[in-house]
Amino acid sequence: MKKILIVEDNPDNMKLMTFLLEKNGYGTIAAVTGKEGIDLALNEQPDLVLLDIQLPDMDGTDLVRKLKDKGFQVPFVAMTGHGDERIAVEMMKLGARDYLTKGVDLTDILPIVFKRLHNELETEEKLARAEKNLRRNEALYKSLLESTKAIAYEIDLDSLKFTYISPQIFELTGYPADDWIDFDFWANSLHPDDKDYCINFCLEETRKGLDHEFEYRMIKADGQVLWLKDLVSLVRDDGKPAALRGFLIDITQQK
């Protein structure tokens, strides 16, 4: 159940708003002054605020700014009187999700506004959780990759340039990972005798959507020859081939 803080000094309006919101499944807490509203917001941590812009001790813009100064930001709906459009615009600039004009039939409009806002907030919360999980999973994936001897990479198919490669590529080749993003691997590091094989066979086979294991030679920064096994697969974007993603394994000793 979402908790709504109502900041309103008119007792009749307060009673009606409390009734309508609780009838529609919300919990409510109430304040009749700006100071009391600030204290309740900080102590009770409501999910939403319904805020009258004209209060005995301050106006709504002051209350919102004071809360923001204290690091508290919560979605709020402003209530304005007739002729307060200028203040309503200022409240929207401060982040109000909507505003109600006093004198309209709150019985009809208030539940509609808060139902819409409730749905919007639920959607935003789901997106925020999904983004947080995605970042966590990406960090875990990178951590796992960087703790193994296999080197992960991704190559853009249009430019044939690396868009990612594990940091331990430096230990293996002498080229730092950052250098590989703009590095012309095909011209500068791939062994000359293996270029045709890699470009004409490995690349074309993978473009067809076939996962493959390839073995080829690479020239390290110090000129030594390195044998690699490449486990590569195709990445599609909207059904179209977009990138190559794979793992490099050093097989020089076996060779």
Side-chain angles (χ1 to χ4, degrees), residues 48 78 178 236:
L48 297 158
D178 289 344
R236 296 181 182 273

Side-chain angles (χ1 to χ4, degrees), residues 87-107:
I87 300 179
V89 170
E90 188 174 353
M91 293 294 282
M92 296 298 284
K93 289 180 179 178
L94 287 172
R97 304 297 289 258
D98 208 333
Y99 70 92
L100 305 175
T101 303
K102 290 184 178 180
V104 301
D105 190 350
L106 289 179
T107 305

Side-chain angles (χ1 to χ4, degrees), residues 154-158 234-237 240-244:
E154 187 167 290
I155 293 175
D156 177 71
L157 266 181
D158 290 332
L234 182 68
V235 178
R236 296 181 182 273
D237 185 7
K240 299 178 180 179
L244 301 178

